[in-house]
Amino acid sequence: MKAGTAVITVTTKDGGKTATCVITVISSVKSFAVSQKTMEVAIGASFMLGVVPITSDESPAKLTWASNKPNIASVDQNGKVTALSSGTATITITAENGKSTNVTVKVGGGSPPTSLTIKTYPVRNTMKVGEVFMLDIDAKPGNAQGVILFESGNAAIVSVNKAGQLTAHKAGSATITVTMGKLTETLKITAEWGDE
């Protein structure tokens, strides 16, 4: 059963009476893919949080976004954060089924990133079609300032979402680019059909 709304209508045999009932099925969010649980950003920065819900049926999920200190870092209902003043704010992301996760946003501190490494990636840089894999990115120093961004050179082959989660769609290859500030790392992924 997928998320959505259905209207059930019941009519008596003689057609004299009808009754309707609206049934809403919400997405079952199991967990969240998050690119940065804690991040350092400059005052005035505006960016999308790298948070993606993982649902049981891959259907989209409705999320609620909230900041405990909107005077420091505000967030809209699309997950766009605006850093307004120095300090630390916690952004809470909640799904309709109550599942939630947090991202800590530190504003006005941090240091420029000096290194960016793709720590965890598919074995032999190869994925089976239909496979999903979460990249693990390491930035140094530990308080590196900036937002980690992901892009696929061929999303029809292997796509990557804003949390760094890869999905292999069909056979071929794609180059994944990871950036943070002025630093860039690339990873070529080959997607193959599984064994028949």
Side-chain angles (χ1 to χ4, degrees), residues 121-122 124-127 133 135 157-158 166 168 172-176 187-191:
Y121 45 87
R124 296 186 300 277
N125 292 7
T126 300
M127 298 174 66
F133 188 92
L135 294 175
I157 301 292
V158 179
L166 305 176
S173 63
T175 298
I176 307 301
L187 177 69
K188 185 176 181 180
I189 299 292
T190 298

Side-chain angles (χ1 to χ4, degrees), residues 48-66:
M48 300 296 293
L49 281 178
V51 178
V52 176
I54 299 173
T55 59
S56 55
D57 60 1
E58 299 183 359
S59 61
K62 183 179 179 181
L63 304 176
T64 300
W65 308 73

